[in-house]
Amino acid sequence: MNAAAPDPRRRHARRGRWIAALLALLALPFALDRLFPPPLPAADGAGAVVLAADGSPLRAFAGRDGVWRYPVTVDEVSPHYLEALLTYEDRWFRRHPGVNPFALLRAGGQWLANGRVVSGGSTLTMQVARILEPHRRTPAGKLRQALRALQLEWRLDKDEILALYLNHAPFGGPIEGVEAASWAYLGKPARELSRAEAALLAVLPQAPSRLRPDRHPQAAQAARDKVLARMAARGLWSPAEVADARMERVVARKLQPPMSAALLAGRLRGADPRATRIRSTLDAGLQRVLEERVAAYFARLPERTSAALLVVDNETLEARAYVGSLAFGDARRLGHVDMVRATRSPGSTLKPFLYGLAIDDGLVHSASLLVDAPQSFGDYRPANFDPTFNGPVTVAEALRLSLNVPAVDLLDRVGPERFAARLAHAGLVLQLPRGAQPNLSMVLGGTGTRLEDLVGAYRALNHDGLAGEVRYRPDAPRQERRLMSPEAAWIIREILEQHGRPGQRDEAFDTAGRPRVAWKTGTSYGFRDAWALGGTARHTVGVWVGRPDGTPLPGQYGAITALPLLFEVVDSLPRAPADAARRARPAGVREVAICWPLGVAEDPAAPGLCHRRHDALALAGVLPPTLPEREARQWSGGRLVLSVDARTGERLSAACARAHDRASREVARWPGLAYPWLPAATRRASAIPPLAPDCAPDALAAMESLRIDGPGEGARLARTPGSPTPATLRLRAIGTESRVRWLVNGRLAGETRGARYWTHAFPEPGPQRITALADTGAWAELNLRVVR
C-alpha cells in the first residue's frame, strides 16, 4: 500500500518557518547592534586644542573627563609611527574582521602552558573597544571586547578605527592620543616623529604609568628597543636604520599641557565651543619669545600691574603674537583679564589720526605753524604733559612732542563729531561716558578704546591709509576701511619715523639693518594707562601697561614704561633688508620750502615776509596758509599791505594833514599767542609801523588779537584758608608789544608793557570783570568771581 503524498501546504509552511528563523538569525546582529551600540566618543565635551599657524598647539582644553587630546587624522601622523604601531600591536589589522582567532588561540595556549600571559591576543580593534568601554580582564570581559570589536568593524572602516586609537590611546597622566603625547613628551607634532620616537610612542600605551619617559626613562628605552628589534626582525626597517634609532636616548620633557596665548585661545574657544581643533594666525615661536620677554621685562613692576601686547602683519591683518596679560592665572595681577580687548583711555595715541585727517582736509601740511601756548576752549583749558609751553611749532613738532594745546586747537577746527565718526568708520569706535557727546578732550584720552582696535587703526600708517579689523583665524574675513589717504598716511609715518630711538645716537650704533619705526606713545590721566604703538613696513605693534582695575600707576608713562618693550618686540620680528629703507614718496606728495609766519611758499618779490624757512611735506596742489587765530576780531590772512612814509617809515592813513612821499610796505603778522616766544628781531619785523602824527586814525591799530593768560572764564577765586592776605591773581596779556592798561570793573587798576605779568589783589568778594586794553586798541576780557 503506497504512503500518502506530503501535503504541499505543510511543506511550504515548514519552509517558511525555516526562512523566517534564518532571517531572524540574520537580523539578530543588526537588532543587537541597534539596541546596544558601541560607545563611540561624542563630538561635544571632547575637549579642544587651539593651534598656531604652523599647527603647533598653543593651549589645550580638557574634555569633560579631564583628559587632554589633540585630534588628528591618520594622514597627519608620521608613517614611522603607523608602521611601528601596526607591526608591534596588530600586523594583520588590515585583514581581520576585528578579531584574530589565530592570535587568540596562540595567546590562550601560551597562557595554559605557562600559567601567565605571554603575549596578547587582542587586535588593535579590540584595544579600541576596550579604550572606549573599559572592562575587567575576565573571560566575560574578553568576550564583550571581541563583540564590540566586531561592531566597530561593522560600523567603521579601518582608517576610522585607527583614528580612534590614535586619538584615545592612553599615554600617561591626563594625556590621550599620539598627537598630545608627542607634544607633551617630545615637543613636536606626531607627523615629525623619528623612528626611535615612533617606537617609543607605539609601546607606551601598553603600560603608560610604568613606561612614562618623563618618570621612567630606562624602562621606556628598554620597551622602545624591543619594538625596534621587532621592526628589524620583520624586515620593515633596515639594520642600519634600527641601529641609528637605538643611539637616540629617551629624553622627555616634563609632562605639561601647552599654555601659550592662553587668553586668545580662550577667546577663540568661546567663539566656537563645538570645534575640537581651532587654528589661529599666531607665530608659535614668536609668541613664546614675546611671552618670556614681557614676563621678564615687567617682573619688577608694582603688584597688580599687568601688560598687553599685540603684533599684526600689515599685509594680511593677521595677529602674529597676542599677550593679553602679564601673567595668566596670577590673581594678584588679575591675569585672567584680557587687556587686548579691554576698554581703556588711549591717552595721546589718537593724535596721528587727527593730523592725518587735517592734512586730507587741506587745513595743514607738515610744517604748518601751530602755537603751543595757554589757551581756553570755552570751559576747557588743556595743558601739556610737560607743564612748559613751546610757542610756535610745526605740525611735525607738535605731533612728535605730543603737544596737547595744538592738538586740541586743531580738533576744534576739524570738529569732534566728525573726528569720532571718521574713526568709527575705520573700526576705531570711541567709548564715551554715558550721555556724553564727542568733545575736545577725546584727542587727549578723554574717551575709551581697545588695544586691538588701536593696532588695527595704526596699521593704516603702513598700508596706504587703510585701517582694518585684526584677524585671529586664517578663515576670518578681511575687513578694511579707509582712515586717511595714502598720501596723508605717508606724511604722518614720515613724521613719526623721525623720532628715532630714544637715547640712541645714530653715529654710535649701526642702524643700517634695523627697520624704520613710526611710533607714538600715550599716557592717560592719572597714570592709569601707558601706551606705545609702532609700525614697520611689515608689522604693527601695540603695547599697553597699567592695572586692570583702573587704579593709578604713578610715575609709569608710555615713553618710559611701554616704549622700550615696543622696540624689543620690533627687534624680535622677522625682517628683510628693505625694511630699513625709506619708502618711496607717493606722487601725490611734494616737498616744498615754506615761510613762517604765512605758511606758504616764499615770494621772491617780498623776501621780508619770510621770517623763518621750513621744509614741508604737503599734498600736491595744496599748500594751506597758517590757520587764522580763533576768535580773532579782525583777520587778513597775516599779510598786511600798508601805506607808509618813504622817509620815516610811519604808517599813513587815507587822510593826513600834510603831503607825504607814500610808499607801499608789506608786513607778515604772527598769531598773537606766538609773540612771547619770538625773538625781539622777529617781533620788530612783524610790528605794524606807528601812525604818522598828522594822519587820521585807521582801523589797523586794532589788528592785534589780545589774550589774557590766566584762569579760565568764570573761574572762582578764594584766599588761602586761615590767611589774612586777600585773594591775589597774576595775569599777563599775550599778543602785543605795546602798553597794556588793566581795568577791574571798569576802573583803571594798573598797566604793563608787552607780555609782562600784572599782579592784583581782590579784597572784596563778588563778580570781577577784568579788561586788558592795549595802546593799539586790541583788548581782551576775563570774568571771574571772588568767593572770599
Side-chain angles (χ1 to χ4, degrees):
M1 187 173 180
N2 293 332
D7 186 350
R9 287 176 298 178
R10 295 179 62 185
R11 186 169 63 250
H12 289 309
R14 195 164 44 247
R15 184 182 304 166
R17 286 194 296 271
W18 278 105
I19 293 174
L22 180 60
L23 291 175
L25 184 63
L26 292 175
L28 181 62
F30 290 96
L32 292 174
D33 178 69
R34 293 297 180 268
L35 291 172
F36 305 100
L40 296 175
D44 58 336
V49 58
V50 177
L51 308 171
D54 63 356
S56 58
L58 295 172
R59 181 182 178 184
F61 294 87
R64 293 175 183 171
D65 52 3
V67 172
W68 307 88
R69 301 182 188 91
Y70 307 165
V72 290
T73 63
V74 175
D75 295 335
E76 294 173 324
V77 177
S78 167
H80 297 322
Y81 176 76
L82 297 178
E83 290 172 349
L85 173 67
L86 296 180
T87 300
Y88 190 74
E89 292 289 352
D90 187 0
R91 62 193 180 103
W92 304 107
F93 172 71
R94 296 289 181 182
R95 301 180 184 178
H96 62 64
V99 175
N100 189 337
F102 301 104
L104 289 175
L105 290 174
R106 183 192 69 243
Q110 292 174 340
W111 176 63
L112 290 173
N114 298 278
R116 59 183 179 86
V117 176
V118 176
S119 65
S122 297
T123 63
L124 197 66
T125 309
M126 293 174 67
Q127 293 184 46
V128 170
R130 190 168 185 272
I131 290 171
L132 298 180
E133 189 178 48
H135 60 79
R136 294 182 179 180
R137 294 181 180 273
T138 62
K142 204 69 173 178
L143 176 61
R144 183 186 183 96
Q145 181 183 6
L147 293 174
R148 286 299 194 194
L150 294 173
Q151 275 186 287
L152 290 175
E153 293 278 350
W154 195 349
R155 285 172 170 256
L156 308 174
D157 63 32
K158 290 293 185 178
D159 280 349
E160 290 173 328
I161 295 171
L162 183 56
L164 286 173
Y165 182 88
L166 296 179
N167 290 308
H168 294 273
F171 283 86
I175 303 299
E176 283 190 5
V178 64
E179 183 75 1
S182 184
W183 281 109
Y185 292 121
L186 305 173
K188 64 191 327 185
R191 67 175 180 270
E192 297 178 5
L193 293 174
S194 67
R195 287 182 172 84
E197 294 163 341
L200 171 65
L201 295 186
V203 73
L204 183 54
Q206 283 198 347
S209 297
R210 181 172 56 85
L211 299 179
R212 275 182 57 168
D214 60 327
R215 294 181 178 178
H216 310 290
Q218 293 180 342
Q221 184 160 333
R224 180 204 68 181
D225 291 347
K226 183 178 178 182
V227 176
L228 291 175
R230 182 167 300 183
M231 298 302 292
R234 300 287 185 191
L236 294 173
W237 293 348
S238 69
E241 291 171 337
V242 170
D244 288 342
R246 285 179 179 272
M247 294 176 64
E248 291 187 27
R249 292 181 55 196
V250 172
V251 179
R253 307 188 310 173
K254 181 180 179 181
L255 191 61
Q256 183 177 1
M259 189 61 73
S260 189
L263 287 169
L264 175 62
R267 179 177 176 177
L268 297 180
R269 168 71 164 159
D272 194 1
R274 298 182 63 85
T276 57
R277 289 167 61 89
I278 303 172
R279 189 176 293 270
S280 74
T281 62
L282 298 192
D283 181 319
L286 180 65
Q287 177 70 27
R288 286 190 291 269
V289 167
L290 295 186
E291 283 182 347
E292 294 171 359
R293 287 207 173 200
V294 170
Y297 184 85
F298 291 121
R300 297 184 180 181
L301 279 181
E303 194 175 80
R304 296 187 292 122
T305 304
S306 190
L309 167 70
L310 183 62
V311 179
V312 172
D313 183 284
N314 290 333
E315 180 62 32
T316 64
L317 277 168
E318 294 179 345
R320 296 300 181 220
Y322 184 115
V323 180
S325 68
L326 180 57
F328 177 72
D330 187 339
R332 296 172 303 171
R333 298 185 184 273
L334 298 181
H336 63 284
V337 179
D338 187 351
M339 299 309 298
V340 169
R341 55 175 177 166
T343 299
R344 307 292 293 203
S345 166
S348 296
T349 58
L350 302 181
K351 289 176 180 174
F353 311 133
L354 170 63
Y355 285 100
L357 179 57
I359 289 173
D360 275 333
D361 283 351
L363 291 177
V364 296
H365 48 66
S366 71
S368 288
L369 169 58
L370 302 177
V371 182
D372 180 35
Q375 295 191 55
S376 296
F377 301 84
D379 295 332
Y380 187 46
R381 290 179 58 83
N384 290 327
F385 186 79
D386 182 338
T388 61
F389 293 92
N390 298 270
V393 293
T394 65
V395 161
E397 290 169 336
L399 177 53
R400 281 198 295 267
L401 296 175
S402 197
L403 302 178
N404 289 345
V405 175
V408 173
D409 183 19
L410 195 58
L411 179 58
D412 188 40
R413 301 170 192 269
V414 169
E417 296 84 0
R418 181 165 174 268
F419 180 58
R422 187 65 171 268
L423 293 180
H425 171 77
L428 183 56
V429 179
L430 303 182
Q431 301 294 327
L432 294 167
R434 185 183 299 272
Q437 297 297 319
N439 55 72
L440 297 179
S441 71
M442 294 188 310
V443 76
L444 305 186
T447 182
T449 189
R450 305 184 302 176
L451 175 60
E452 62 184 356
D453 294 338
L454 271 176
V455 171
Y458 265 79
R459 179 256 194 177
L461 301 181
N462 290 279
H463 202 76
D464 294 333
L466 290 174
E469 183 177 339
V470 179
R471 302 168 62 211
Y472 300 111
R473 296 186 61 167
D475 56 353
R478 182 165 171 170
Q479 300 183 19
E480 298 174 306
R481 291 289 183 87
R482 173 70 60 191
L483 179 56
M484 62 186 77
S485 69
E487 293 79 11
W490 187 90
I491 292 173
I492 297 300
R493 186 180 67 244
E494 279 288 306
I495 292 173
L496 295 179
E497 284 183 351
Q498 297 305 315
H499 271 306
R501 297 197 178 206
Q504 175 179 300
R505 294 165 51 190
D506 290 347
E507 61 269 22
F509 295 87
D510 180 11
T511 60
R514 284 183 166 177
R516 294 168 63 90
V517 184
W519 59 268
K520 180 74 182 70
T521 60
T523 306
S524 66
Y525 178 76
F527 298 98
R528 289 175 169 82
D529 306 275
W531 301 86
L533 280 295
T536 67
R538 301 173 64 188
H539 298 93
T540 299
V541 181
V543 177
W544 172 89
V545 183
R547 286 175 171 161
D549 60 7
T551 55
L553 194 61
Q556 303 296 330
Y557 51 94
I560 67 167
T561 303
L563 184 60
L565 177 63
L566 182 139
F567 280 108
E568 284 194 19
V569 172
V570 168
D571 290 340
S572 302
L573 298 175
R575 66 180 66 172
D579 294 348
R582 183 186 183 192
R583 275 163 279 182
R585 190 173 71 212
V589 175
R590 62 170 176 157
E591 191 168 354
V592 59
I594 62 98
C595 288
W596 277 7
L598 302 181
V600 295
E602 182 176 4
D603 183 357
L609 300 180
C610 190
H611 299 175
R612 293 185 191 176
R613 291 175 175 82
H614 291 276
D615 292 328
L617 295 171
L619 301 184
V622 179
L623 196 62
T626 298
L627 294 169
E629 293 184 81
R630 292 185 314 107
E631 301 176 1
R633 292 182 178 85
Q634 296 186 41
W635 178 251
S636 62
R639 183 171 182 168
L640 298 180
V641 180
L642 305 174
S643 178
V644 299
D645 187 292
R647 183 177 58 84
T648 65
E650 294 175 323
R651 189 172 81 252
L652 303 176
S653 66
C656 297
R658 60 185 178 85
H660 292 270
D661 184 9
R662 290 180 178 264
S664 180
R665 177 184 170 188
E666 289 188 301
V667 177
R669 297 287 290 163
W670 289 74
L673 291 172
Y675 277 86
W677 286 270
L678 297 178
T682 304
R683 289 200 296 267
R684 286 194 298 269
S686 183
I688 298 176
L691 186 66
D694 64 313
C695 292
D698 57 15
L700 293 178
M703 283 296 296
E704 290 179 339
S705 180
L706 209 61
R707 299 286 187 275
I708 296 178
D709 179 20
E713 180 74 10
R716 300 167 69 86
L717 191 65
R719 71 177 67 192
T720 304
S723 173
T725 304
T728 303
L729 201 57
R730 190 168 182 248
L731 306 173
R732 65 172 175 168
I734 297 177
T736 185
E737 284 296 303
S738 67
R739 182 176 60 176
V740 178
R741 292 181 174 88
W742 296 89
L743 293 83
V744 177
N745 296 327
R747 294 186 178 183
L748 184 62
E751 67 178 50
T752 58
R753 179 163 292 276
R756 293 182 181 178
Y757 280 97
W758 171 69
T759 304
H760 184 73
F762 297 87
E764 299 296 330
Q768 309 290 332
R769 187 178 78 254
I770 302 169
T771 305
L773 181 61
D775 280 350
T776 60
W779 60 276
E781 193 171 84
L782 173 66
N783 291 279
L784 52 81
R785 176 176 288 276
V786 176
V787 296
R788 63 181 181 184

